[in-house]
Amino acid sequence: MSVGRTTKVISDETSRKELEDSLLESNSALEHFAYAASHDLQEPLRTIGAYAELIVKRHENELSEGGTQWLGFIIKAVARMKALIDNLLMYARVGTEKEPAVVMPLDEDVETAITQLAGALEESGAAVTHDPLPQVVASHSQIVRLFQNLISNAIKYRSPDRSPAVHVSARPEGKYWVISITDNGIGFEQHHGESIFAPFKRLHGQEYSGSGVGLTICRRIVENHGGRIWAESTVGKGSTFHFTLPRDLQE
């Protein structure tokens, strides 16, 4: 190898290392900020929620119908705000978690996600199935969270006309596995297929709970593993979320 080429390789490696260090520093700063902000915000939220619930409990007979309803709005708003703060903190932590990547079948990650969603599955009557899935090298707590978010989304946006059904499949495509999560829910207009992964983007009204950060977390997890995520949907028929994971990851 020539001196010039050797110098270029060293320079490229140095640049890559500097970029990685910069990203790690940025992610760490984001996590510290999110943690501090969440701690400072959680305490007044707990106070507001606790006193609102206390008023309802102790003075329910003295309140007008409107007063009880307004306090109910406050309690629900506090719960939504808490969920938003928790999700923002989770988003910040995704980039800084140090769990080592290990070889594991994705079947186990899906089954773990299903177990963690047992209550929601039973309440909704949802059925979740999956094909045999490949082994990958990954941070599997993040992959479980990814499946949990996507399956939970499918349950949340279910059709009122049929029981929710979710199916997970995989296929090889070049150097990647393409993992697909298909549901029979309400779907969305395809032109929203990219914007739904943006922070706080919600296509549906307040009748559906959520913070608008879940799919953003999904995108960050996938990108952390060297893949990409996208969605296809037809209104009234359902959606399919696809994401890729490298087939040749090295431990």
Side-chain angles (χ1 to χ4, degrees):
M1 184 182 292
S2 68
V3 174
R5 187 173 179 185
T6 302
T7 302
K8 183 178 186 305
V9 170
I10 294 173
S11 176
D12 288 346
E13 179 64 21
T14 301
S15 297
R16 183 188 65 79
K17 184 67 169 59
E18 288 176 349
L19 178 59
E20 287 180 352
D21 290 344
S22 176
L23 289 173
L24 185 61
E25 184 178 349
S26 297
N27 285 334
S28 179
L30 175 61
E31 183 181 8
H32 286 309
F33 171 78
Y35 180 82
S38 69
H39 181 271
D40 291 343
L41 289 171
Q42 292 278 20
E43 190 55 41
L45 274 179
R46 277 194 291 268
T47 302
I48 294 169
Y51 275 109
E53 291 175 356
L54 195 60
I55 291 171
V56 171
K57 182 178 179 180
R58 292 189 177 181
H59 302 282
E60 185 175 8
N61 294 332
E62 304 168 32
L63 294 170
S64 66
E65 183 178 345
T68 302
Q69 186 179 34
W70 297 335
L71 284 168
F73 291 153
I74 293 173
I75 293 169
K76 288 180 180 179
V78 167
R80 286 198 301 271
M81 188 65 181
K82 183 181 184 306
L84 175 58
I85 293 170
D86 289 342
N87 280 331
L88 285 174
L89 184 58
M90 185 183 299
Y91 174 78
R93 284 176 171 167
V94 165
T96 56
E97 289 177 333
K98 298 300 183 182
E99 179 197 6
V102 297
V103 178
M104 187 180 292
L106 288 175
D107 303 72
E108 294 186 18
D109 295 334
V110 173
E111 291 296 337
T112 300
I114 291 172
T115 299
Q116 293 177 355
L117 291 169
L121 292 171
E122 183 176 355
E123 180 183 348
S124 64
V128 180
T129 57
H130 64 86
D131 294 340
L133 300 174
Q135 289 194 135
V136 298
V137 178
S139 299
H140 287 275
S141 66
Q142 290 191 14
I143 300 300
V144 168
R145 186 180 302 155
L146 172 63
F147 279 124
Q148 190 172 341
N149 281 1
L150 292 174
I151 295 170
S152 178
N153 241 35
I155 297 169
K156 181 192 302 182
Y157 298 110
R158 59 186 180 270
S159 170
D161 303 324
R162 51 187 176 267
S163 297
V166 185
H167 185 70
V168 184
S169 60
R171 71 177 190 276
E173 190 172 282
K175 296 181 179 180
Y176 293 89
W177 290 108
V178 179
I179 315 300
S180 301
I181 296 90
T182 301
D183 66 60
N184 63 343
I186 60 175
F188 58 84
E189 295 180 355
Q190 186 57 47
H191 65 268
H192 292 301
E194 178 61 30
S195 64
I196 57 174
F197 296 100
F200 312 116
K201 180 66 177 181
R202 301 187 64 189
L203 301 184
H204 306 287
Q206 292 297 327
E207 67 270 22
Y208 293 98
S209 62
S211 61
V213 183
L215 288 177
T216 309
I217 292 172
C218 290
R219 181 174 65 182
R220 195 168 202 204
I221 290 172
V222 172
E223 290 177 351
N224 280 354
H225 285 80
R228 66 186 185 95
I229 187 169
W230 70 100
E232 300 172 338
S233 186
T234 302
V235 175
K237 294 187 176 180
S239 306
T240 299
F241 284 80
H242 308 276
F243 64 88
T244 61
L245 293 174
R247 299 175 63 189
D248 58 350
L249 280 175
Q250 299 296 315
E251 289 187 89

